[in-house]
Amino acid sequence: APIFVAILAGIFLKEKIEKITVFSLAISFVGIVLIASPEKVSPDNQNLLGLLMAILAGICFALWIVFSKKVASDYTAFRLTFYQSLFAGLLLFPSLLILDFNLNLGKIFLILILGGVHVVLAFTLYYNGLKTVKAQHAGVLGYIEPLAAVVYAMLIFGETPTLHTLLG
């Protein structure tokens, strides 16, 4: 996604891609390749499908960042978060009609935390930050996510990272 953000920000936002961005993306890309262990990807397994889905997700995420940057100065961060959540809710609403689920007080509490902290607070902070930085910088900072995933996998799930993952 960060590579796509840098390219799309140049096209749609007229941001000049900075040398430090290109350097950061190159180093980060090598790290991501090491973490993803590309030797496991082949046309006859699910890893290739997963890789293609990841690339598509990266393009969609990049489009979201660029679009968000474009409209961030026109709307409050809270309003953008509201519209995004409303759209997602409307899009996902039909799944409520076909999924079998039950709610209890504990689940409702977790849903409120998810909505309040991981959606409203996180996206409001993100949109506020996006107003002050270039889209390409926001994209590069997106590479913190794979690093965090490795650290959380170690701390929460007790996973031991491979040598490739540590190098990445």
Side-chain angles (χ1 to χ4, degrees):
I3 294 170
F4 296 131
V5 170
I7 294 167
L8 294 174
I11 295 169
F12 293 111
L13 301 175
K14 307 300 183 220
E15 287 185 8
K16 183 180 178 214
I17 299 176
E18 300 170 356
K19 289 179 184 176
I20 190 69
T21 299
V22 173
F23 179 72
S24 299
L25 288 173
I27 289 174
S28 300
F29 181 75
V30 170
I32 291 298
V33 167
L34 287 171
I35 290 171
S37 299
E39 70 276 359
K40 296 178 184 174
V41 176
S42 68
D44 59 337
N45 68 24
Q46 289 293 320
N47 290 341
L48 180 61
L49 179 60
L51 181 61
L52 293 174
M53 291 295 117
I55 291 169
L56 181 60
I59 292 169
C60 291
F61 187 61
L63 287 168
W64 172 73
I65 290 174
V66 170
F67 174 75
S68 296
K69 175 68 178 170
K70 196 161 186 74
V71 298
S73 60
D74 297 333
Y75 300 97
T76 66
F78 187 77
R79 182 180 233 173
L80 289 172
T81 301
F82 174 79
Y83 288 146
Q84 175 182 312
S85 299
L86 179 66
F87 179 75
L90 292 172
L91 191 66
L92 294 172
F93 179 76
S95 67
L96 293 176
L97 304 174
I98 59 174
L99 294 177
D100 184 29
F101 64 93
N102 60 351
L103 290 176
N104 59 36
L105 202 53
K107 289 179 183 178
I108 291 172
F109 177 71
L110 291 175
I111 290 170
L112 290 175
I113 289 176
L114 177 69
V117 175
H118 300 283
V119 175
V120 176
L121 179 61
F123 281 106
T124 300
L125 291 172
Y126 185 83
Y127 284 127
N128 276 325
L130 200 54
K131 290 179 182 184
T132 62
V133 299
K134 291 183 176 183
Q136 62 187 288
H137 295 170
V140 170
L141 289 172
Y143 272 131
I144 291 173
E145 289 181 42
L147 173 63
V150 171
V151 172
Y152 292 145
M154 286 173 41
L155 297 175
I156 296 170
F157 301 116
E159 292 182 9
T160 304
T162 65
L163 179 60
H164 275 151
T165 300
L166 290 174
L167 289 173

